[in-house]
Amino acid sequence: MKKAPLLLAANWKMNLGPKAAAAFFKEFLAAYSVRHDRQVLFFPPSLSIDAIKNLTGGRPDISLGVQNIYWEESGAFTGELSASMVKETVAQYVLVGHSERRHIFGETNEECAKKCAAAEKESLTPILCVGETLEQRESGETERVVLDQLKSGLELLEDPASTVKAIAYEPVWAIGTGKTATAEDAEAIHGSIREALRGTIGESAAEISILYGGSVKPDNARQLLDQPNVDGLLVGGASLDPNSWLSICNA
Ligand code: PGA
């Protein structure tokens, strides 16, 4: 038996501005009933949070998060948002080190660690994203890269056992490409992540949700969720359409 609830997270990336986000939310929530075995998280563009916050109807199974933060509290950092600003909204989660942040915007493990620590300081829940590139996978470095990102990303946390509630494994070569890791490949690396977490925080590692991301679709979601160490999904493309997201949330 798997521990509940599953975490199903929609990463909208730079899609669905305030109007489109509100329309999505109305359509999705009208069709999706509360299920006690799962929690649904949305990572809209930060500008859309205000437009959807009143549409959740106070449902306990729906939470919101932001896709990125900066680690400083305030100041001359044009274009950035701080954890304390996020804390003033209804968002409770922060994605840290998504592969697009790492590979398009050049974020390093050290920067991810500072962002996780900034989230912790404001009692937000960081979801650290880790994953190898195709080149790294082909040269047999998957586990080393992933565990290194994990260890460095959590390094500055004061209380990792309380702060870390979820980690996302997203192989870079599977994101937005239509290629998914097989359920067995995902399970293997999720198992290694769990072991590494056990080394850092002990037995409470069993309670951390390890999410898989990378070309998740309605037709592969169930198989991935059936793996013992896959506790949820982080979904990009397929979370942008209310119907496909609904199928994934009901998988
Ligand atoms: P994808 O994106 O589902 O479109 O592959 C996943 C992610 O980047 O979080």
Side-chain angles (χ1 to χ4, degrees), residues 9-11 13 95 98-100 129 170-171 174-179 212-217 234-239:
N11 174 15
K13 310 188 181 188
L95 290 181
H98 185 275
S99 81
E100 284 144 23
C129 304
E170 298 202 303
I175 296 179
T177 57
K179 294 183 192 146
Y212 171 80
S215 295
V216 174
K217 301 278 178 299
L234 180 55
V235 184
S239 73

Side-chain angles (χ1 to χ4, degrees), residues 96 102 109-110 112-117 128 147-157:
V96 175
R102 292 179 189 266
N109 282 340
E110 292 66 35
C112 292
K114 290 198 238 178
K115 291 181 178 198
C116 283
L128 179 68
L147 298 187
D148 193 42
Q149 290 174 340
L150 182 72
K151 182 165 176 274
S152 331
L154 304 182
E155 204 153 62
L156 300 178
L157 293 178

